[in-house]
Amino acid sequence: MENHPFTIRQLEYFEAVATHGSLSTAAAQCHVTASGLAIALDELERNLGVQLFIRRKAKGATLTPLGAGLLPEVRMLLGNAGTLAAHALEAGDSVGGRLAVGCYPALSPFYLPSILEDFARAHPALELEFVEAPAPELHELLLQGNIEVALMYSADISRELAHDPVREYLPHVIVAASSPLAERASLSLAELAELPLIALDLPPSKQNTERLFARAGLRPRMSHSSLNFELVRCLVGRDLGYSILYQRPRGDLSYDGHRVVSVPLADTVETSTVGLARTAGSRMTRRTEALLEHLRAAPGAPLHSSPANTG
């Protein structure tokens, strides 16, 4: 049997220091003394015959170019080791281990609370973590093995990822309750194109909105854009423009107390699918299966599709 010049524990220490840039912070996360962690890193570098970090007193630790090149492979190895441990747990049909979940920020208020409370309560052996990030960052986090799954729109899924659908959504228009448009049964893209658009500028939201208009041979009149879902609703609530969104909160009040109203699009438009993304070809773990089942069956969640021709 081949003897490897490293241990899983040493790789965990290496990844922790690379992530935090500090031996003391990494040591606290790994529940080891800073001196013990430093000794383990010294041994790892000696056995590999390379320098992984440049360490400076009071300035933390910086990856060398070689260390930076090895980091994705180390994360993949650690991810595989975690999967192996999880599979052992699953042999007894239990759900446990570490589950790192990524989430597109506009989706997180609708999904993460239930995951962190209801799903976690149902599976107490799970160690849940979550990361919010735009779609391109989630893509890289998945490929690097930093997260196991991510809640993303299907439009963001490359060939390097698999996507297990959870729910479909129709885009809908939101306008201020004080606007005459709030009384309309539906609104067409043609009439909206003449009005100021307040866009959610988190990829792919803004791009999806622009595509809706482009497919109809139209171009929206962009007024404001924001990375913040609630700021978009606040600006709409003050009747500074309209927006086109996919997610629909239960309440109709913006953060600053102005009412917004949802109005269906009169045009025939495509739905958008939210699902759990993972690396293509990877085996779905029991914990991922359990999460997928939870998301598809969550009762009373404000995640229903926006039906056409309803308010």
Side-chain angles (χ1 to χ4, degrees):
M1 181 180 295
E2 182 181 355
N3 290 322
H4 297 290
F6 55 79
T7 66
I8 293 295
R9 181 64 67 190
Q10 289 171 342
L11 296 184
E12 288 175 342
Y13 293 168
F14 167 69
E15 196 277 337
V17 175
T19 298
H20 297 287
S22 163
L23 267 68
S24 59
T25 303
Q29 177 186 298
C30 296
H31 307 290
V32 65
T33 64
S35 59
L37 185 143
I39 291 170
L41 286 181
D42 288 339
E43 184 178 352
L44 176 62
E45 290 179 325
R46 184 169 57 254
N47 290 343
L48 291 176
V50 297
Q51 183 179 2
L52 300 173
F53 293 99
I54 298 172
R55 300 181 226 175
R56 299 184 179 92
K57 288 185 178 180
K59 291 187 178 180
T62 304
L63 282 168
T64 63
L66 182 57
L70 290 175
L71 182 58
E73 296 182 47
V74 168
R75 284 175 169 160
M76 185 175 297
L77 277 171
L78 291 174
N80 290 337
T83 300
L84 176 63
H87 289 173
L89 283 172
E90 290 159 15
D93 201 31
S94 62
V95 177
R98 174 181 176 267
L99 177 58
V101 180
C103 195
Y104 178 67
L107 297 175
S108 55
F110 301 91
Y111 285 87
L112 288 182
S114 174
I115 293 174
L116 295 175
E117 182 183 10
D118 304 327
F119 180 66
R121 185 191 302 119
H123 303 288
L126 269 178
E127 180 187 347
L128 278 171
E129 300 176 11
F130 72 89
V131 176
E132 291 181 282
E137 290 183 33
L138 293 175
H139 184 276
E140 290 305 311
L141 289 170
L142 284 166
L143 294 183
Q144 292 173 4
N146 286 339
I147 56 177
E148 185 170 321
V149 290
L151 277 157
M152 300 171 64
Y153 284 105
S154 56
D156 296 320
I157 303 303
S158 72
R159 293 182 179 178
E160 295 175 293
L161 300 179
H163 193 248
D164 300 293
V166 173
R167 304 200 178 191
E168 289 188 339
Y169 298 87
L170 278 170
H172 61 279
V173 185
I174 63 167
V175 297
S178 58
S179 168
L181 298 178
E183 304 299 323
R184 296 283 299 276
S186 63
L187 291 165
S188 71
L189 291 170
E191 57 189 322
L192 290 172
E194 304 299 320
L195 304 174
L197 168 64
I198 300 169
L200 179 63
D201 202 9
L202 277 171
S205 295
K206 184 178 178 181
Q207 294 81 354
N208 285 346
T209 298
E210 291 173 338
R211 277 195 290 268
L212 283 176
F213 284 96
R215 287 169 184 159
L218 301 166
R219 187 174 180 177
R221 180 183 148 202
M222 195 69 64
S223 174
H224 302 287
S225 64
S226 173
L227 298 172
N228 188 300
F229 184 86
E230 270 304 325
L231 178 55
V232 169
R233 296 180 79 243
C234 286
L235 297 179
V236 170
R238 290 174 177 268
D239 203 15
L240 299 178
Y242 72 93
S243 189
I244 295 179
L245 300 173
Y246 287 85
Q247 303 304 314
R248 188 188 302 199
R250 282 179 179 266
D252 60 2
L253 285 182
S254 66
Y255 271 9
D256 61 350
H258 293 79
R259 286 189 61 232
V260 297
V261 173
S262 175
V263 181
L265 279 167
D267 307 70
T268 300
V269 293
E270 295 180 355
T271 59
S272 187
T273 303
V274 170
L276 278 183
R278 53 193 168 88
T279 53
S282 63
R283 178 184 181 273
M284 186 182 290
T285 64
R286 179 66 192 104
R287 55 181 177 263
T288 297
E289 290 177 351
L291 177 58
L292 187 60
E293 291 166 6
H294 167 79
L295 292 172
R296 287 175 172 173
L303 310 174
H304 52 77
S305 301
S306 304
N309 301 321
T310 61

